PDB file of all heavy atoms in Angstrom:
ATOM      1  N   VAL A 273     -61.494 246.605 106.882  1.00 98.00           N
ATOM      2  CA  VAL A 273     -60.526 245.635 106.469  1.00 98.00           C
ATOM      3  C   VAL A 273     -60.677 245.512 104.942  1.00 98.00           C
ATOM      4  O   VAL A 273     -61.669 244.987 104.503  1.00 98.00           O
ATOM      5  CB  VAL A 273     -60.639 244.287 107.220  1.00 98.00           C
ATOM      6  CG1 VAL A 273     -59.559 243.330 106.590  1.00 98.00           C
ATOM      7  CG2 VAL A 273     -60.532 244.479 108.731  1.00 98.00           C
ATOM      8  N   VAL A 274     -59.681 246.029 104.174  1.00 98.00           N
ATOM      9  CA  VAL A 274     -59.838 245.973 102.783  1.00 98.00           C
ATOM     10  C   VAL A 274     -59.072 244.702 102.410  1.00 98.00           C
ATOM     11  O   VAL A 274     -57.870 244.516 102.677  1.00 98.00           O
ATOM     12  CB  VAL A 274     -59.091 247.141 102.088  1.00 98.00           C
ATOM     13  CG1 VAL A 274     -59.221 247.075 100.586  1.00 98.00           C
ATOM     14  CG2 VAL A 274     -59.722 248.412 102.591  1.00 98.00           C
ATOM     15  N   TYR A 275     -59.741 243.787 101.767  1.00 96.00           N
ATOM     16  CA  TYR A 275     -59.186 242.486 101.435  1.00 96.00           C
ATOM     17  C   TYR A 275     -59.011 242.395  99.887  1.00 96.00           C
ATOM     18  O   TYR A 275     -59.718 242.963  99.194  1.00 96.00           O
ATOM     19  CB  TYR A 275     -59.869 241.283 102.034  1.00 96.00           C
ATOM     20  CG  TYR A 275     -61.312 241.037 101.572  1.00 96.00           C
ATOM     21  CD1 TYR A 275     -61.546 240.270 100.478  1.00 96.00           C
ATOM     22  CD2 TYR A 275     -62.371 241.774 102.209  1.00 96.00           C
ATOM     23  CE1 TYR A 275     -62.860 240.084 100.031  1.00 96.00           C
ATOM     24  CE2 TYR A 275     -63.675 241.441 101.720  1.00 96.00           C
ATOM     25  CZ  TYR A 275     -63.942 240.688 100.644  1.00 96.00           C
ATOM     26  OH  TYR A 275     -65.278 240.513 100.155  1.00 96.00           O
ATOM     27  N   GLY A 276     -57.931 241.605  99.512  1.00 92.00           N
ATOM     28  CA  GLY A 276     -57.743 241.366  98.072  1.00 92.00           C
ATOM     29  C   GLY A 276     -56.418 240.734  97.859  1.00 92.00           C
ATOM     30  O   GLY A 276     -55.786 240.261  98.853  1.00 92.00           O
ATOM     31  N   GLY A 277     -55.988 240.614  96.620  1.00 86.00           N
ATOM     32  CA  GLY A 277     -54.674 239.953  96.404  1.00 86.00           C
ATOM     33  C   GLY A 277     -54.827 238.495  96.007  1.00 86.00           C
ATOM     34  O   GLY A 277     -53.957 237.895  95.575  1.00 86.00           O
ATOM     35  N   GLY A 278     -55.973 237.912  96.322  1.00 81.00           N
ATOM     36  CA  GLY A 278     -56.230 236.519  96.042  1.00 81.00           C
ATOM     37  C   GLY A 278     -57.726 236.293  96.295  1.00 81.00           C
ATOM     38  O   GLY A 278     -58.386 237.081  96.852  1.00 81.00           O
ATOM     39  N   PRO A 279     -58.194 235.135  95.881  1.00 81.00           N
ATOM     40  CA  PRO A 279     -59.657 234.814  95.961  1.00 81.00           C
ATOM     41  C   PRO A 279     -60.118 234.708  97.408  1.00 81.00           C
ATOM     42  O   PRO A 279     -59.463 234.030  98.188  1.00 81.00           O
ATOM     43  CB  PRO A 279     -59.796 233.493  95.186  1.00 81.00           C
ATOM     44  CG  PRO A 279     -58.479 233.062  94.805  1.00 81.00           C
ATOM     45  CD  PRO A 279     -57.440 234.037  95.191  1.00 81.00           C
ATOM     46  N   MET A 280     -61.187 235.395  97.690  1.00 88.00           N
ATOM     47  CA  MET A 280     -61.853 235.178  99.041  1.00 88.00           C
ATOM     48  C   MET A 280     -63.141 234.361  98.682  1.00 88.00           C
ATOM     49  O   MET A 280     -63.910 234.690  97.874  1.00 88.00           O
ATOM     50  CB  MET A 280     -62.220 236.555  99.521  1.00 88.00           C
ATOM     51  CG  MET A 280     -63.175 236.533 100.717  1.00 88.00           C
ATOM     52  SD  MET A 280     -62.347 235.963 102.243  1.00 88.00           S
ATOM     53  CE  MET A 280     -61.902 237.519 102.953  1.00 88.00           C
ATOM     54  N   TYR A 281     -63.175 233.196  99.407  1.00 85.00           N
ATOM     55  CA  TYR A 281     -64.284 232.352  99.114  1.00 85.00           C
ATOM     56  C   TYR A 281     -65.658 232.923  99.833  1.00 85.00           C
ATOM     57  O   TYR A 281     -65.553 233.578 100.879  1.00 85.00           O
ATOM     58  CB  TYR A 281     -64.063 230.928  99.587  1.00 85.00           C
ATOM     59  CG  TYR A 281     -62.939 230.347  98.693  1.00 85.00           C
ATOM     60  CD1 TYR A 281     -61.567 230.291  99.232  1.00 85.00           C
ATOM     61  CD2 TYR A 281     -63.106 229.884  97.432  1.00 85.00           C
ATOM     62  CE1 TYR A 281     -60.529 229.781  98.368  1.00 85.00           C
ATOM     63  CE2 TYR A 281     -62.115 229.421  96.652  1.00 85.00           C
ATOM     64  CZ  TYR A 281     -60.861 229.386  97.131  1.00 85.00           C
ATOM     65  OH  TYR A 281     -59.816 228.930  96.323  1.00 85.00           O
ATOM     66  N   VAL A 282     -66.747 232.629  99.261  1.00 92.00           N
ATOM     67  CA  VAL A 282     -67.953 233.137  99.701  1.00 92.00           C
ATOM     68  C   VAL A 282     -68.288 232.761 101.198  1.00 92.00           C
ATOM     69  O   VAL A 282     -68.585 233.635 102.025  1.00 92.00           O
ATOM     70  CB  VAL A 282     -69.151 232.687  98.809  1.00 92.00           C
ATOM     71  CG1 VAL A 282     -70.579 233.014  99.485  1.00 92.00           C
ATOM     72  CG2 VAL A 282     -69.076 233.178  97.431  1.00 92.00           C
ATOM     73  N   GLU A 283     -67.991 231.538 101.497  1.00 89.00           N
ATOM     74  CA  GLU A 283     -68.175 231.088 102.897  1.00 89.00           C
ATOM     75  C   GLU A 283     -67.348 231.853 103.839  1.00 89.00           C
ATOM     76  O   GLU A 283     -67.738 232.225 104.979  1.00 89.00           O
ATOM     77  CB  GLU A 283     -67.751 229.613 102.999  1.00 89.00           C
ATOM     78  CG  GLU A 283     -68.454 228.804 103.904  1.00 89.00           C
ATOM     79  CD  GLU A 283     -67.992 227.269 103.645  1.00 89.00           C
ATOM     80  OE1 GLU A 283     -66.842 227.009 103.959  1.00 89.00           O
ATOM     81  OE2 GLU A 283     -68.835 226.490 103.262  1.00 89.00           O
ATOM     82  N   ASP A 284     -66.087 232.163 103.455  1.00 90.00           N
ATOM     83  CA  ASP A 284     -65.258 232.971 104.403  1.00 90.00           C
ATOM     84  C   ASP A 284     -65.681 234.349 104.536  1.00 90.00           C
ATOM     85  O   ASP A 284     -65.569 234.929 105.681  1.00 90.00           O
ATOM     86  CB  ASP A 284     -63.762 232.930 103.776  1.00 90.00           C
ATOM     87  CG  ASP A 284     -63.199 231.555 103.907  1.00 90.00           C
ATOM     88  OD1 ASP A 284     -63.586 230.755 104.771  1.00 90.00           O
ATOM     89  OD2 ASP A 284     -62.217 231.319 103.101  1.00 90.00           O
ATOM     90  N   ILE A 285     -66.170 235.054 103.512  1.00 96.00           N
ATOM     91  CA  ILE A 285     -66.562 236.477 103.724  1.00 96.00           C
ATOM     92  C   ILE A 285     -67.805 236.515 104.530  1.00 96.00           C
ATOM     93  O   ILE A 285     -68.065 237.380 105.373  1.00 96.00           O
ATOM     94  CB  ILE A 285     -66.594 237.343 102.425  1.00 96.00           C
ATOM     95  CG1 ILE A 285     -66.824 238.763 102.708  1.00 96.00           C
ATOM     96  CG2 ILE A 285     -67.566 236.715 101.417  1.00 96.00           C
ATOM     97  CD1 ILE A 285     -65.797 239.396 103.598  1.00 96.00           C
ATOM     98  N   GLN A 286     -68.704 235.432 104.238  1.00 96.00           N
ATOM     99  CA  GLN A 286     -69.924 235.416 105.056  1.00 96.00           C
ATOM    100  C   GLN A 286     -69.614 235.231 106.576  1.00 96.00           C
ATOM    101  O   GLN A 286     -70.183 235.919 107.431  1.00 96.00           O
ATOM    102  CB  GLN A 286     -70.816 234.292 104.621  1.00 96.00           C
ATOM    103  CG  GLN A 286     -71.615 234.663 103.252  1.00 96.00           C
ATOM    104  CD  GLN A 286     -72.533 233.544 102.952  1.00 96.00           C
ATOM    105  OE1 GLN A 286     -72.148 232.409 102.803  1.00 96.00           O
ATOM    106  NE2 GLN A 286     -73.806 233.953 102.802  1.00 96.00           N
ATOM    107  N   ARG A 287     -68.683 234.381 106.848  1.00 96.00           N
ATOM    108  CA  ARG A 287     -68.224 234.130 108.235  1.00 96.00           C
ATOM    109  C   ARG A 287     -67.677 235.448 108.742  1.00 96.00           C
ATOM    110  O   ARG A 287     -67.971 235.788 110.002  1.00 96.00           O
ATOM    111  CB  ARG A 287     -67.262 232.938 108.340  1.00 96.00           C
ATOM    112  CG  ARG A 287     -66.485 232.844 109.458  1.00 96.00           C
ATOM    113  CD  ARG A 287     -67.063 231.686 110.359  1.00 96.00           C
ATOM    114  NE  ARG A 287     -66.261 231.523 111.581  1.00 96.00           N
ATOM    115  CZ  ARG A 287     -66.750 231.479 112.783  1.00 96.00           C
ATOM    116  NH1 ARG A 287     -68.073 231.657 113.027  1.00 96.00           N
ATOM    117  NH2 ARG A 287     -65.962 231.216 113.809  1.00 96.00           N
ATOM    118  N   ALA A 288     -66.907 236.119 108.076  1.00 97.00           N
ATOM    119  CA  ALA A 288     -66.196 237.362 108.532  1.00 97.00           C
ATOM    120  C   ALA A 288     -67.308 238.406 108.866  1.00 97.00           C
ATOM    121  O   ALA A 288     -67.237 239.016 109.922  1.00 97.00           O
ATOM    122  CB  ALA A 288     -65.306 237.827 107.430  1.00 97.00           C
ATOM    123  N   LEU A 289     -68.299 238.490 108.032  1.00 98.00           N
ATOM    124  CA  LEU A 289     -69.362 239.489 108.232  1.00 98.00           C
ATOM    125  C   LEU A 289     -70.164 239.122 109.498  1.00 98.00           C
ATOM    126  O   LEU A 289     -70.573 240.022 110.268  1.00 98.00           O
ATOM    127  CB  LEU A 289     -70.302 239.656 107.043  1.00 98.00           C
ATOM    128  CG  LEU A 289     -69.656 240.244 105.832  1.00 98.00           C
ATOM    129  CD1 LEU A 289     -70.439 239.928 104.536  1.00 98.00           C
ATOM    130  CD2 LEU A 289     -69.552 241.742 105.961  1.00 98.00           C
ATOM    131  N   GLU A 290     -70.306 237.872 109.613  1.00 98.00           N
ATOM    132  CA  GLU A 290     -71.142 237.276 110.742  1.00 98.00           C
ATOM    133  C   GLU A 290     -70.418 237.641 112.086  1.00 98.00           C
ATOM    134  O   GLU A 290     -70.964 238.035 113.040  1.00 98.00           O
ATOM    135  CB  GLU A 290     -71.260 235.822 110.538  1.00 98.00           C
ATOM    136  CG  GLU A 290     -72.153 234.965 111.366  1.00 98.00           C
ATOM    137  CD  GLU A 290     -71.929 233.545 111.093  1.00 98.00           C
ATOM    138  OE1 GLU A 290     -72.253 233.120 109.932  1.00 98.00           O
ATOM    139  OE2 GLU A 290     -71.414 232.814 111.917  1.00 98.00           O
ATOM    140  N   VAL A 291     -69.119 237.321 112.097  1.00 98.00           N
ATOM    141  CA  VAL A 291     -68.359 237.550 113.361  1.00 98.00           C
ATOM    142  C   VAL A 291     -68.109 238.951 113.653  1.00 98.00           C
ATOM    143  O   VAL A 291     -68.153 239.418 114.727  1.00 98.00           O
ATOM    144  CB  VAL A 291     -67.032 236.748 113.297  1.00 98.00           C
ATOM    145  CG1 VAL A 291     -66.112 237.022 114.505  1.00 98.00           C
ATOM    146  CG2 VAL A 291     -67.333 235.212 113.202  1.00 98.00           C
ATOM    147  N   MET A 292     -67.668 239.713 112.574  1.00 98.00           N
ATOM    148  CA  MET A 292     -67.106 241.106 112.803  1.00 98.00           C
ATOM    149  C   MET A 292     -67.987 242.204 112.302  1.00 98.00           C
ATOM    150  O   MET A 292     -67.724 243.455 112.497  1.00 98.00           O
ATOM    151  CB  MET A 292     -65.714 241.164 112.220  1.00 98.00           C
ATOM    152  CG  MET A 292     -64.793 240.292 112.985  1.00 98.00           C
ATOM    153  SD  MET A 292     -63.115 240.245 112.396  1.00 98.00           S
ATOM    154  CE  MET A 292     -62.554 241.917 112.490  1.00 98.00           C
ATOM    155  N   GLY A 293     -69.150 241.847 111.664  1.00 98.00           N
ATOM    156  CA  GLY A 293     -69.989 242.856 111.170  1.00 98.00           C
ATOM    157  C   GLY A 293     -69.501 243.612 109.884  1.00 98.00           C
ATOM    158  O   GLY A 293     -68.537 243.200 109.283  1.00 98.00           O
ATOM    159  N   PRO A 294     -70.144 244.752 109.554  1.00 98.00           N
ATOM    160  CA  PRO A 294     -69.863 245.397 108.287  1.00 98.00           C
ATOM    161  C   PRO A 294     -68.507 246.247 108.277  1.00 98.00           C
ATOM    162  O   PRO A 294     -68.521 247.436 108.148  1.00 98.00           O
ATOM    163  CB  PRO A 294     -71.025 246.339 108.086  1.00 98.00           C
ATOM    164  CG  PRO A 294     -71.448 246.689 109.474  1.00 98.00           C
ATOM    165  CD  PRO A 294     -71.149 245.446 110.306  1.00 98.00           C
TER     166      PRO A 294
END
Side-chain angles (χ1 to χ4, degrees):
V273 177
V274 182
Y275 63 91
M280 170 70 95
Y281 295 101
V282 170
E283 212 174 65
D284 289 337
I285 187 61
Q286 281 186 304
R287 166 99 175 130
L289 291 164
E290 188 188 292
V291 173
M292 293 177 59

